[in-house]
Amino acid sequence: MSDRPIAFLDSGLGGIPYLLAARAHAPGERLVYYADTASFPYGDRSESEVRCIVRDAVARLMELADPRLIVIACNTASVVGLDELRRQFDVPFVGVVPAIKPAVERGASEPIGVLATSRTVGGAYLAGLIRRFAPQARVELVAADELVRMVEYHLGEFDEGQLRDLLGPSIDRLRSAGVRTIVLGCTHFIHVRGFIESLAGPRVTVVDSVEGVVRQTIRLARGGAAVGDVGHADRGPAPLVLVSGLAGSSYRFLASVHALQLRELATLDGLPGVRG
Ligand code: DGL
């Protein structure tokens, strides 16, 4: 196993479920997470802004942690900027895009709902994915930027009722369109997947990309070796979560529940040991 870490990057805490799944599948692997909270949110910025911000974040992450592979654990950044990142940096990338293909493979010829940021919903990449993998299906797109903020700033502090106040009308719209599958096209929403499932009801299946992306990541990072089943998630070094701006209460909540080491970059400069 290489000593260089596998890194994950998002505008905030959305990519943490990918980090946790990687730790569960590959305990003992060095994992680093970069939460670009100084530039949060990405989802309502222009494409060119997102490209610039993500390029800078990747450069900083490379300098700090020297990863052997980077997962862009953010749909917005992946759909807008992944091709360019691959040209700009000499490190392999794995991207995260709305799981339209898996939703269709589940037999969804019924309508599909996609919950994502405004940038992802309005972009050409998602339109292309739908044309390619779901040309026959009716696809209902919902931009939920407020939900991104709620999860980023208040994770662990709100209940299902508050989520219903925010998301209820959108879920009702999807249900009345006959949607049987909801694709979580923003990584932040994975943190409240249980709430979304219960709002959507038992006839609707909620789909995300965590398992597929993490298996692909570990396979690539280990030069093609088969990926084992989930092991002992709490063994091995605690993953390091680097935060480019402030790490608010949601970060302290996640760090205590999942045993993560939190470092705000403003206080990190000059500290040894990030590169391992
Ligand atoms: N978590 C990100 C995604 O998957 C976006 C959140 C944001 O708007 O910054 O799209």
Side-chain angles (χ1 to χ4, degrees):
M1 196 187 305
S2 164
D3 194 40
R4 291 169 67 204
I6 300 172
F8 300 78
L9 183 147
D10 179 51
S11 62
L13 49 77
I16 298 271
Y18 296 81
L19 172 83
L20 298 176
R23 176 171 64 176
H25 278 293
E29 191 71 66
R30 283 187 62 219
L31 303 173
V32 174
Y33 186 90
Y34 189 100
D36 192 13
T37 62
S39 301
F40 175 88
Y42 288 175
D44 48 15
R45 294 177 185 274
S46 70
E47 294 205 351
S48 57
E49 244 184 314
V50 173
R51 279 195 201 100
C52 275
I53 288 170
V54 176
R55 184 197 56 218
D56 291 352
V58 167
R60 186 93 171 99
L61 172 60
M62 298 273 287
E63 177 193 315
L64 286 165
D66 187 28
R68 71 183 195 277
L69 183 148
I70 299 179
V71 181
I72 301 297
C74 172
N75 293 262
T76 309
S78 297
V79 302
V80 169
L82 197 58
D83 290 345
E84 209 164 301
L85 291 174
R86 288 192 166 123
R87 287 194 294 273
Q88 287 164 334
F89 294 94
D90 187 20
V91 66
F93 285 95
V94 172
V96 162
V97 300
I100 300 292
K101 185 170 175 247
V104 172
E105 284 168 356
R106 289 186 55 256
S109 56
E110 304 106 349
I112 298 170
V114 181
L115 285 181
T117 63
S118 307
R119 173 56 42 228
T120 301
V121 160
Y125 190 98
L126 180 57
L129 270 186
I130 294 169
R131 265 199 311 277
R132 181 158 170 222
F133 295 113
Q136 315 293 349
R138 176 169 164 200
V139 182
E140 294 285 326
L141 304 178
V142 175
D145 298 310
E146 279 310 312
L147 180 59
V148 176
R149 287 177 176 74
M150 186 164 164
V151 170
E152 179 71 19
Y153 296 130
H154 301 293
L155 191 66
E157 294 165 7
F158 54 86
D159 58 23
E160 193 179 321
Q162 285 160 297
L163 193 91
R164 182 181 301 113
D165 291 344
L166 186 71
L167 209 58
S170 305
I171 299 283
D172 288 347
R173 175 155 80 74
L174 295 179
R175 286 183 1 167
S176 51
V179 159
R180 289 294 185 81
T181 308
I182 296 179
V183 174
L184 301 184
C186 168
T187 55
H188 276 71
F189 305 161
I190 299 165
H191 289 282
V192 289
R193 183 185 166 129
F195 285 165
I196 294 172
E197 280 170 341
S198 114
L199 285 181
R203 289 162 63 87
V204 175
T205 303
V206 176
V207 175
D208 66 49
S209 62
V210 174
E211 187 66 18
V213 165
V214 165
R215 283 183 173 272
Q216 184 198 359
T217 298
I218 296 168
R219 206 167 33 240
L220 266 178
R222 293 184 170 173
V227 180
D229 286 331
V230 171
H232 296 281
D234 293 330
R235 265 203 227 138
L240 183 59
V241 177
L242 303 172
V243 185
S244 68
L246 293 175
S249 59
S250 301
Y251 288 82
R252 292 192 294 279
F253 169 73
L254 284 171
S256 73
V257 173
H258 298 292
L260 306 171
Q261 298 180 65
L262 263 190
R263 303 249 181 103
E264 286 177 343
L265 288 180
T267 60
L268 187 72
D269 289 331
L271 284 182
V274 177
R275 272 181 171 250

